[in-house]
Amino acid sequence: MAKPNYSFEKRQRELAKKKKKEEKLKEKELRKTSPGSGEAGQGDEPAEGQTQGAGAGDQPAP
């Protein structure tokens, strides 16, 4: 049985992280340059810091 090549796997993970980071940076720059497009802040996912469903403020008082 062949030995696993951990350095290759690590390099692949690093490349994936780098690619994801670059894509996020590109998206951030795109949002920064075109704030009035209306697409940037809308989507199925909640914005950062927001939760779906009942939050801390939605709980009834005891």
Side-chain angles (χ1 to χ4, degrees):
M1 187 164 154
K3 239 172 63 172
N5 189 349
Y6 293 113
S7 60
F8 175 77
E9 292 174 9
K10 182 179 179 182
R11 179 69 177 146
Q12 292 302 307
R13 283 193 306 270
E14 289 173 353
L15 288 172
K17 282 182 186 180
K18 185 177 179 181
K19 183 179 178 184
K20 188 173 181 178
K21 189 175 182 179
E22 288 175 354
E23 288 174 359
K24 281 182 123 178
L25 189 62
K26 191 187 296 184
E27 287 292 323
K28 188 176 179 181
E29 286 295 321
L30 190 107
R31 283 186 302 227
K32 186 186 281 187
T33 57
S34 60
S37 67
E39 277 184 56
Q42 298 177 4
D44 295 340
E45 297 181 23
E48 209 170 300
Q50 296 178 345
T51 58
Q52 292 180 340
D58 295 339
Q59 296 176 353

